[in-house]
Amino acid sequence: MSKKVAHWFRRDLRLEDNAALYHALKSGFPVVPVFIFDREILDELPPNDARVTFIYQQIHCLQQQLTDLGSSLVVVHGHVFEAWKSLTAQFELEAVYTNHDYEPYARHRDTSLAGYFQEKGISFHTFKDQVLLEKNEVLTQAGKPYTVFTPYSRNWRSTLSAGHLQPYPTVDHFSRFFDSSPLEIPSLESMGFETSQLVFPGSAPDKSIIRTYDQTRNFPAVAGVTRMGIHLRFGTVSIRQLAAEAQSLNDTYLNELIWREFYMQILWNFPHVVNAPFRPEYAAVPWRNAPEDFDKWCKGKTGYPLVDAGMRELNATGYMHNRVRMVVASFLTKHLLLDWRKGEAYFAEKLLDFELSSNNGGWQWAAGCGTDAAPYFRIFNPEEQLKKFDSGLKYVRKWVPEFGTPLYPSTMVDHKFARERCLEAYKSALKGA
């Protein structure tokens, strides 16, 4: 049995321009490509979770590419430790290569695995791949992580170099994959999942949309956003490719990619945000316990058409336009005075492009307890937002066909009353904190 190295695919489901895969292919050893359907994650998901179908489809795409190269993906369904025990028994591994993951579960998993690999005499190498600048690469003059976006983005831009955008030429080394006939991939059904019928956006970014992004991105009725979120989440597109296109085509689009990296470094440096407000004094906000109100929000039956359209789009497609995400999140936390964590969890369950760092950052921003420099009294008026961003009601009519008829519910809470109640609740909480 000759020595090999493994490349462990996780959030990088592509062969092209993949940092860890490049280093594995350059190692001088045949490369065994591995994917693990991690039961620690999957066992928490419902059988119809569309993201599992998306991953499954990408795994089959990788398998086809590898088959064409005379190799195969090795796919395991199980708990990660058990999977690696089996893989290290099956292959004589010199090293395991993979890309960084910044979420708390992944950090704990990788630290534990590093110890296991060390015991087995196997090197464990991890690389930056899903962001351009990570962890502590962008710091204040005092050497601390940024907690406000604008100064972070300025420093991010001045730190970024052409080298950060340089793609990894993995394609030059594809002959290094280990020789194998195609190995079997467990079926979705055997893993407890069903095939989703949701339509996934394509992985090729639309340059014409990027070019006009600053003019179209706020209007939900217009096809003015790239829908690249799910591809960035699972690494079916390279951040280097996307950022290079943004840099040449539209600075506003690049700014959105910087927001993504900002929230990634917040999660890395302040992992407490997963369960608690970024600013601890906001833990004292007296959230209401109103399950019926939450249910109306989830179903898109609040009586505010922009909020309802957004929630119905989410429930039907696994997607919601970003402008509308801000409005529905503000409505839940400010108008209904319901805990942002409830909304965050609902989005985490429904969004195809769910990304822990961005979802958490966005919800804390909406609730006023996050990193944003503006204080809590920013409260979106859903009616004004509708006039501004869907004045022709094209988006609303698509998702709320009964709007304007007796079947449409009246508003569940008056805007002026809700605003005053919210301000009072936050003020009293912060006084006592």
Side-chain angles (χ1 to χ4, degrees), residues 402-417:
E402 78 276 23
F403 175 64
T405 76
L407 294 173
Y408 188 62
S410 55
T411 53
M412 61 186 292
V413 64
D414 174 70
H415 171 68
K416 187 168 181 286
F417 163 79

Side-chain angles (χ1 to χ4, degrees), residues 227-291:
R227 297 287 306 273
M228 282 292 104
I230 189 171
H231 297 290
L232 284 169
R233 171 70 179 90
F234 295 111
T236 45
V237 68
S238 158
I239 183 61
R240 289 170 288 279
Q241 175 202 345
L242 205 52
E245 291 188 359
Q247 204 173 51
S248 67
L249 295 172
N250 195 295
D251 192 64
T252 304
Y253 191 82
L254 180 64
N255 208 51
E256 290 302 301
L257 298 179
I258 302 173
W259 268 108
R260 176 177 173 270
E261 306 218 342
F262 173 67
Y263 283 138
M264 286 265 192
Q265 65 88 31
I266 288 290
L267 181 64
W268 176 266
N269 289 296
F270 305 97
H272 75 273
V273 297
V274 173
N275 301 307
F278 175 78
R279 294 192 272 185
E281 64 270 26
Y282 283 83
V285 173
W287 303 113
R288 296 170 61 237
N289 179 28

